[in-house]
């Protein structure tokens, strides 16, 4: 394995050398601009700030990176560019992780430990495979707890999808792609500024792929997917200081998922597998932005509706004979006031109100039946405050924040199924999350030293707090109203070097994870009952390193050439109760690449290496713990734009036909190809 890795690194360096010596020496501007101190971000502080002024570990996936990735959904983007933990299954299911925590394994965002946002509000799912990349302008990733601004689930960090709002002269683009495994995609998009007041961006697409082949076992039967997407943003400036935006997206997502023969992993795929899913998702939002008092005060008001379906048909031989279906709907509003009290001080305060309802139903043997979990209802109110100080001529940046959350949770009876008894109970609790960060700049902002300490938390689910029911098979479930939320206390320290030609950032992070919620049994009225309790603490620590080097400008080559690398070493990942390593946290991750641009030609060669990790092996019951080895792969994308209207592109994914297995038993496709063409009117 080591020999293969070094051989491929040698190929990488040889390609870099060829790119460097095959052109004449002169000045050129990088289209793939490296991150500089002047780049702005909005997620870390809920305000628009230079990245140099934000003492929080922030990584950005730009639109250029998205277009050159070959990825069709957000999960694969995170897997390619952001170190953390990518947990990709078949069947359009891709939880994503940061700093030892991840979104829920089935995409339920209120049960996750990493929060996914769109334009600053919850997107309503933790399954990144549901999220199309066509509308995304950039992705901002905050590593470390962000509950002081965003509440529950923001323990490992926040992933904010910032959508395209439309710019430039109005245009229309027709696009088509075709690839391996009979993949095809058609897309129509338009954007532009119609006049001084109105701008828009809209896109619709149809995407389809048949069963794919993996490098080891051949055809992975029943991995087909069909995706239909439509999304838009319409923005209208009422005056120079007031603007409205209406946006949203709907994705119709269906497909199949495979199974191993005799339920034994690596025993061969079942050719007759027919189980399928509907994982459709949608949201709509209405946003108002207004400036008052000579722009000293800014009000951002947001109302949103979220809708998420997870519907599995898994019966045999008729898939619809056995079903489980969950549908989440959320209504929410978020109001934020930003007050520039002085040139060196900015106050941010606001509130968030949400109501989430989860409906659940099931079918067993063709008859209505109780699903695996009941229905639930969440009502939450939150209030947050942040103070940002920029002192000593902006050489010192101090940001402190605190948020108060109150939850009222109810366990609801499912739409189907019979129960020996079912009591719909309410429980309530509250939680406060603080955070403090400081950054100090030296050498005319060439060097910055920074530090952060903050708390993250994850709310107990409604059934964990308030369940009280007995199934018709005499299994009793009883919630624990004394449960505490899961919490984490994280501190990180690091330094950043920002130069026009080179950016280097590194940070050490340490997290104390407490009050993990686990399922257990108790005795109720003399009978055994399933319940939940807080049990176990853990420690997670490591280093993040990020490098971006504008090689083209450094050597005065007439092309844009940049090298980038994101690396994480997880040095500690211990369960304090068992003194064993935590599962699903790799020893290290490396995600690197080389970007090239010359006139209308662009290219990206990327490399991903995921180190060994401890995992659960579910071939037996109960599961056993084992060590999963490392894996790596390369991707390459080429693109050429010409005649002001045309674009042709091609990608080779899994370039060296490696065995890519993010999750044990879920092998990803062998080397595959993708070609496409676009025309813009």
């Amino acid at each position: 394995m080591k020999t293969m890795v070094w051989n491929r690194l040698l190929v990488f360096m040889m390609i870099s050398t060829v790119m460097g010596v095959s052109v004449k020496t002169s000045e050129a501007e990088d289209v793939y601009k490296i991150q500089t101190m002047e780049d702005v971000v909005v997620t870390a502080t809920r305000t628009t700030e230079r990245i140099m002024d934000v003492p929080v570990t922030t990584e950005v996936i730009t639109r250029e990176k998205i277009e050159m990735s070959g990825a069709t959904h957000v999960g694969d983007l995170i897997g390619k560019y952001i170190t953390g933990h990518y947990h990709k299954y078949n069947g359009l299911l891709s939880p994503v992780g940061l700093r030892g925590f991840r979104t829920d394994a089935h995409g339920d965002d209120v049960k996750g430990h990493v929060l996914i946002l769109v334009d600053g509000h919850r997107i309503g799912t933790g399954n990144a495979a549901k999220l199309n990349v066509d509308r995304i302008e950039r992705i901002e990733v905050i590593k470390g707890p962000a509950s002081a601004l965003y509440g529950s689930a923001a323990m490992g960090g926040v992933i904010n999808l910032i959508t395209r709002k439309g710019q430039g002269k109005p245009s229309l683009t027709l696009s088509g792609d075709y690839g391996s495994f009979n993949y095809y995609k058609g897309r129509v998009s338009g954007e532009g500024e119609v006049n001084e007041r109105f701008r828009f961006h809209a896109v619709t697409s149809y995407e389809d792929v048949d069963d794919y082949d993996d490098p080891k076992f051949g055809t992975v039967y029943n991995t087909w997917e069909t995706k239909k997407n439509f999304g838009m943003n319409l923005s209208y400036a009422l005056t120079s200081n007031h603007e409205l935006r209406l946006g949203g997206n709907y994705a119709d997502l269906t497909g199949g998922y495979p199974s191993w023969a005799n339920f034994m992993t690596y025993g061969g795929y079942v050719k007759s597998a027919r189980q399928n899913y509907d994982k459709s998702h949608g949201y709509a939002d209405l946003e108002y932005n207004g400036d008052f008092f000579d722009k000293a005060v800014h009000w951002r008001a947001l109302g949103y509706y979220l809708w998420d379906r997870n519907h599995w048909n898994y019966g045999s031989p008729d898939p619809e004979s056995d079903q489980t279906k969950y549908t989440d709907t959320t209504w929410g509003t978020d109001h934020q006031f930003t007050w520039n009290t002085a040139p060196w001080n900015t106050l941010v305060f606001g509130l968030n109100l949400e109501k989430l309802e989860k409906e659940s139903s099931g079918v067993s043997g063709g008859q209505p039946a109780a699903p695996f979990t009941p229905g639930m209802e969440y009502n939450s109110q939150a209030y947050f405050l942040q103070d940002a100080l920029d002192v000593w001529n902006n050489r010192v940046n101090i940001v402190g924040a605190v948020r108060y959350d109150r939850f009222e949770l109810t366990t609801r009876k499912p739409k189907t199924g019979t129960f020996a008894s079912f009591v719909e109970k309410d429980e309530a609790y509250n939680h406060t999350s603080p955070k403090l960060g400081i950054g100090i700049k030296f050498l005319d902002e060439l060097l910055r030293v920074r530090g952060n300490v903050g708390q993250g938390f994850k709310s107990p689910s409604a059934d964990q707090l308030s369940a009280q029911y007995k199934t018709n098979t005499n299994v009793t479930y009883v919630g624990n109203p004394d449960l505490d939320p899961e919490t984490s206390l994280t501190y990180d320290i690091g330094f950043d070097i920002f130069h026009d030609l080179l950016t280097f950032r590194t940070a050490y992070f340490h997290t104390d994870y407490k009050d993990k919620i686990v399922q257990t049994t108790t005795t109720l009225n003399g009978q055994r009952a399933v319940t939940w309790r807080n049990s176990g603490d853990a420690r997670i620590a490591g280093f993040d390193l990020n490098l971006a080097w504008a090689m083209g400008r450094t050597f005065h080559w007439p092309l844009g050439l940049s090298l980038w690398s994101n690396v994480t070493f997880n040095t500690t990942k211990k369960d304090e109760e068992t003194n064993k390593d935590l599962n699903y946290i790799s020893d290290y991750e490396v995600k690197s690449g080389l970007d090239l641009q010359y006139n209308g030609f662009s290219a990206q060669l990327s490399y991903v290496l995921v180190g060994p990790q401890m995992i659960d092996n579910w071939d037996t019951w109960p599961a056993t713990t084992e060590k999963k080895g490392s894996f790596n792969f390369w991707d390459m994308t080429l693109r050429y734009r010409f005649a002001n209207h045309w674009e042709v592109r091609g990608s080779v994914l899994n370039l060296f036909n490696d065995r890519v297995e993010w999750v044990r038993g879920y092998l990803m496709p062998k080397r595959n190809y993708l070609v496409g063409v676009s025309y813009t009117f």
Side-chain angles (χ1 to χ4, degrees):
M1 173 63 73
K2 290 183 178 179
T3 302
M4 292 175 64
V5 172
W6 282 112
N7 286 342
R8 291 170 187 187
L9 286 173
L10 180 61
V11 171
F12 184 86
M13 290 185 289
M14 290 174 63
I15 292 174
S16 303
T17 304
V18 170
M19 288 177 173
V21 301
S22 62
V23 295
K24 297 179 181 179
T25 302
S26 65
E27 287 289 337
E29 179 182 357
D30 280 312
V31 168
Y32 291 97
K33 294 180 180 178
I34 65 171
Q35 193 172 73
T36 71
M37 70 177 72
E38 301 302 327
D39 290 340
V40 296
V41 293
V42 298
T43 310
T45 62
R46 280 180 166 253
T47 59
T48 302
E49 303 287 347
R50 294 190 314 162
I51 197 167
M52 189 62 154
D53 298 333
V54 175
V56 178
T57 299
T58 304
E59 299 179 21
V60 179
I61 303 175
T62 64
R63 182 64 202 171
E64 192 72 21
K65 282 279 198 295
I66 293 171
E67 291 180 350
M68 295 299 294
S69 66
T72 60
H73 59 72
V74 170
D76 282 349
L77 279 178
I78 301 298
K80 173 170 285 193
Y81 294 127
I82 304 297
T83 55
H85 179 79
Y86 187 34
H87 209 72
K88 184 178 183 179
Y89 298 91
N90 304 121
L92 205 69
L93 180 57
S94 297
V96 292
L98 300 170
R99 288 193 172 176
F101 300 95
R102 70 175 187 266
T103 57
D104 177 67
H106 294 289
D108 191 338
D109 72 330
V110 297
K111 292 185 177 181
H113 297 78
V114 170
L115 185 61
I116 303 180
L117 309 174
V118 58
D119 291 325
H121 65 77
R122 279 183 46 233
I123 199 166
T125 181
N127 181 1
K130 291 187 176 188
L131 307 176
N132 184 276
V133 301
D134 293 337
R135 294 181 59 242
I136 300 174
E137 179 64 28
R138 69 183 189 277
I139 301 176
E140 295 184 2
V141 179
I142 306 303
K143 289 189 172 181
S147 292
L149 290 179
Y150 297 105
S152 178
M155 293 180 70
V158 169
I159 299 170
N160 189 13
L161 316 179
I162 299 173
T163 60
R164 305 174 72 177
K165 309 302 190 297
Q167 62 182 2
K169 183 180 178 181
S171 62
L172 175 70
T173 300
L174 304 180
S175 179
D177 295 273
Y178 184 79
S180 302
F181 319 121
N182 201 28
Y183 172 87
Y184 63 90
K185 178 180 180 180
R187 183 182 65 197
V188 180
S189 62
E191 69 169 330
E193 300 169 17
V194 177
N195 52 45
E196 293 181 353
R197 293 178 179 267
F198 180 67
R199 58 189 172 125
F200 73 98
H201 181 274
V203 61
T204 185
S205 64
Y206 181 92
E207 189 175 350
D208 192 87
V209 65
D210 290 342
D211 300 343
Y212 69 79
D213 295 344
D214 74 33
K216 177 69 175 178
F217 298 96
T219 301
V220 187
Y221 298 107
N222 204 38
T223 52
W224 62 274
E225 294 177 1
T226 299
K227 306 176 186 178
K228 306 167 189 175
N229 271 278
F230 173 75
M232 69 173 187
N233 275 313
L234 307 175
S235 301
Y236 184 77
L238 302 171
T239 70
S240 60
N241 292 329
H242 304 275
E243 184 180 68
L244 288 174
R245 178 187 64 84
L246 175 65
N249 196 89
Y250 175 74
D252 184 292
L253 308 170
T254 56
Y257 54 97
S259 57
W260 292 102
N262 301 316
F263 303 102
M264 291 299 296
T265 307
Y266 311 130
Y269 296 109
V270 177
K271 189 173 183 179
S272 60
R274 296 175 55 205
Q275 58 268 22
N276 57 77
Y277 60 81
D278 179 350
K279 297 185 180 181
S280 299
H281 174 79
Y283 78 91
D285 55 21
L286 178 63
E287 179 180 356
Y288 163 77
N289 283 281
D291 293 320
F292 301 87
F293 306 111
D294 293 327
K295 299 188 177 181
V297 175
H298 182 85
W299 176 26
R300 179 178 186 255
L302 190 64
Y304 52 91
Y305 170 78
L306 317 175
W307 179 84
D308 188 56
R309 172 181 291 164
N310 290 285
H311 185 183
W312 294 273
N313 297 305
Y314 49 87
S316 179
D318 177 13
E320 295 185 3
S321 63
D322 293 288
Q323 304 178 32
T324 300
K325 180 180 179 181
Y326 302 105
T327 303
D328 293 359
T329 56
T330 302
W331 291 93
T333 184
D334 188 280
H335 295 263
Q336 174 182 317
F337 299 89
T338 304
W339 181 18
N340 298 310
T341 64
W344 46 269
N345 182 235
T346 302
L347 280 174
V348 175
F349 54 94
L351 60 91
N352 178 271
L353 307 174
E354 281 191 348
K355 180 176 182 179
L356 182 154
E357 294 182 337
K358 176 185 288 290
E359 291 187 354
S360 60
S361 61
V363 173
S364 179
Q367 299 299 318
F372 293 108
T373 58
M376 304 181 200
E377 182 176 308
Y378 297 75
N379 287 279
S380 63
Q381 308 89 42
Y383 306 92
F384 56 89
L385 173 67
Q386 176 184 269
D387 193 10
L389 302 173
D390 302 321
V391 297
W392 198 17
N393 294 323
N394 199 34
R395 293 190 180 118
V396 178
N397 308 109
I398 304 171
V399 181
V402 63
R403 174 167 165 145
Y404 170 83
D405 285 271
R406 176 175 173 78
F407 290 85
E408 299 170 3
L409 304 96
T410 308
T411 303
R412 298 294 189 193
K413 190 174 182 179
K415 295 296 183 181
T416 58
T418 58
F419 296 83
S421 64
F422 200 109
V423 178
E424 295 188 342
K425 285 180 57 180
D426 300 326
E427 293 291 345
Y429 81 96
N430 57 72
H431 187 79
T432 302
S433 307
K435 186 170 185 177
L436 178 66
I438 182 171
I440 305 174
K441 309 186 190 85
F442 303 93
L443 304 175
D444 197 23
E445 298 192 331
L446 177 67
L447 172 67
R448 177 181 67 169
V449 178
R450 57 185 163 88
N452 285 276
V453 60
Q455 187 185 78
F457 83 100
K458 186 194 78 69
S459 170
S461 62
D463 56 339
Q464 291 171 344
L465 277 176
S466 65
Q468 186 175 327
Y469 63 92
K470 179 187 286 189
T471 68
N472 57 6
T473 57
N474 290 322
V475 179
T476 298
Y477 291 84
V478 55
N480 180 359
D482 297 323
L483 274 180
D484 292 323
E486 297 182 3
T487 61
S488 65
L489 181 64
T490 298
Y491 69 83
D492 60 65
I493 54 174
F495 70 88
D496 310 313
I497 298 172
F498 285 97
H499 188 274
D500 287 343
L501 302 177
L502 178 73
T503 298
F504 177 76
R505 298 176 294 150
T506 185
Y508 170 78
F509 60 89
H510 178 101
T511 298
D512 291 312
Y513 175 35
K514 296 184 180 299
D515 295 324
K516 180 180 180 181
I517 298 174
V518 297
Q519 192 177 87
T520 186
T521 57
T522 188
T523 301
L524 182 67
N525 299 326
Q527 294 185 339
R528 179 177 174 272
V530 177
T531 189
W532 293 265
R533 64 183 176 90
N534 295 111
S535 174
D537 302 334
R539 285 182 295 117
I540 304 169
F543 294 88
D544 285 327
L545 300 96
N546 307 95
L547 171 70
W549 177 23
M551 299 170 63
R553 291 205 307 267
T554 300
F555 298 109
H556 306 290
W557 291 333
L559 75 167
L561 185 65
S562 60
L563 175 70
W564 49 270
S565 185
N566 303 316
V567 181
T568 293
F569 296 99
N570 294 302
T571 56
T572 303
K573 42 184 186 298
K574 288 291 183 184
D575 185 314
E576 296 286 282
E577 194 170 281
T578 65
N579 201 35
K580 295 181 179 179
D581 278 353
L582 296 169
N583 287 355
Y584 305 109
I585 304 177
S586 60
D587 292 346
Y588 52 83
E589 283 195 5
V590 178
K591 298 182 178 181
S592 303
L594 188 70
D595 294 334
L596 166 72
Q597 196 280 334
Y598 183 65
N599 291 330
F601 176 76
S602 303
Q604 182 186 93
L605 180 67
S606 62
Y607 173 69
V608 172
L609 170 63
V610 178
Q613 58 191 280
M614 301 305 296
I615 65 166
D616 286 328
N617 182 336
W618 291 98
D619 284 348
T620 59
W621 179 261
T624 57
T625 301
E626 65 180 43
K627 190 171 187 176
K628 179 178 178 293
S630 63
F631 67 91
N632 67 95
F633 64 92
W634 297 74
D635 291 340
M636 183 172 67
T637 295
L638 307 175
R639 183 185 68 191
Y640 183 56
R641 290 173 171 168
F642 60 97
N644 296 322
H645 298 282
W646 289 96
E647 174 185 296
V648 292
R649 55 191 174 271
S651 296
V652 185
L653 307 177
N654 194 3
L655 185 62
F656 294 102
N657 208 33
D658 291 298
R659 177 168 172 166
V660 179
E661 198 170 359
W662 297 98
V663 181
R664 180 183 183 272
Y666 295 87
L667 279 71
M668 295 296 106
K670 67 179 184 180
R671 181 191 301 115
N672 59 100
Y673 306 89
L674 181 68
V675 294
V677 60
S678 298
Y679 184 85
T680 299
F681 296 89

